[in-house]
Amino acid sequence: MGTAAPGCPGRAKLDGLRSRCRYTGRVNAQSKTKEALREITTHSADETIAFGRTLAELLTPPKLVLLRGDLGAGKTTLVKGIAAAFEAAAEEDVTSPTFTLVHEYRGPHANLYHIDLYRIDTPRELETLGLDDLRSDNSILLIEWGEKFPRFVRERDLEIALERDGENQRRITITGSRVP
Ligand code: ADP
Ligand code: MG
């Protein structure tokens, strides 16, 4: 086990993943509030799932989380780890909500909603999904392509951006005012 780096909780676990963890602060241009930043690089889907498991520590409900990144970046893969950590679903049972749009995974401590807005283009279409009804003290919304709608960019607690950096390498950046 590695020594925990200051301001980088979970570093010991990340060492096992051969991942870098950087911790800085930046001012969000929109809200002018200081936001913390964590960045790691994973080298396989399994590492991203493992990182999703460690991320679950940051996700005490209620939360609205934006998952950003191109198709195939690893957003759904990350949710596998998060859902498993919450004992809400087995990794292999977490699949892309591309067509169903919302997948619900109920765990003993939180209800997870994995949402894919790739096919949703207008506020009216968004309305029909009734996402506001899913928000409760007990819920965590994990939204792919949520940045298409400015209200989610404003309301989000945490943003996780995944970037493809080669066949199996992904750079994952977490931004939020409550990243410890
Ligand atoms: P998204 O939800 O962003 O469209 P998916 O998670 O569905 O992406 O797909 C990511 C694909 O990339 C999967 O086939 C996965 O096995 C592959 N992959 C390869 N390396 C990684 C990695 N380091 N992290 C996540 N996925 C990876
Ligand atoms: Mg996906």
Side-chain angles (χ1 to χ4, degrees):
M1 250 212 224
T3 315
C8 189
R11 176 54 195 253
K13 287 177 198 161
L14 296 179
D15 278 347
L17 299 172
R18 292 183 291 122
S19 303
R20 290 177 297 118
C21 178
R22 198 161 58 94
Y23 186 87
T24 57
R26 80 171 186 199
V27 176
N28 180 308
Q30 272 176 338
S31 66
K32 302 281 186 222
T33 55
K34 201 157 199 289
E35 295 211 301
L37 197 80
R38 261 170 82 177
E39 185 189 294
I40 73 140
T41 298
T42 64
H43 306 82
S44 68
D46 280 347
E47 279 190 17
T48 295
I49 292 172
F51 181 62
R53 284 180 176 268
T54 71
L55 259 187
E57 291 165 22
L58 297 179
L59 299 178
T60 42
K63 285 277 183 300
L64 192 154
V65 181
L66 291 189
L67 299 170
R68 298 181 78 137
D70 293 338
L71 286 173
K75 303 180 291 299
T76 295
T77 302
L78 190 74
V79 173
K80 287 174 182 278
I82 295 171
F86 275 97
E87 297 171 35
E91 290 170 11
E92 59 272 23
D93 292 335
V94 173
T95 56
S96 179
T98 309
F99 298 102
T100 37
L101 307 181
V102 182
H103 282 173
E104 179 177 6
Y105 303 110
R106 286 176 179 261
H109 304 298
N111 293 336
L112 269 51
Y113 296 95
H114 182 199
I115 297 152
D116 190 341
L117 301 182
Y118 186 71
R119 284 158 196 279
I120 300 296
D121 290 317
T122 66
R124 185 183 287 255
E125 288 173 323
L126 183 65
E127 191 81 6
T128 63
L129 293 181
L131 299 187
D132 287 329
D133 297 341
L134 305 180
R135 296 182 74 173
S136 75
D137 288 348
N138 200 25
S139 76
I140 297 174
L141 273 59
L142 303 159
I143 311 182
E144 300 191 24
W145 302 101
E147 73 277 11
K148 286 163 73 173
F149 299 93
R151 59 164 283 206
F152 291 133
V153 176
R154 281 194 306 272
E155 293 170 17
R156 63 105 173 113
D157 299 294
L158 212 64
E159 183 173 305
I160 305 173
L162 297 98
E163 276 175 279
R164 215 183 128 105
D165 204 5
E167 180 69 24
N168 294 313
Q169 195 158 304
R170 302 291 188 273
R171 190 164 51 237
I172 306 176
T173 310
I174 302 156
T175 314
S177 51
R178 274 157 267 170
V179 180

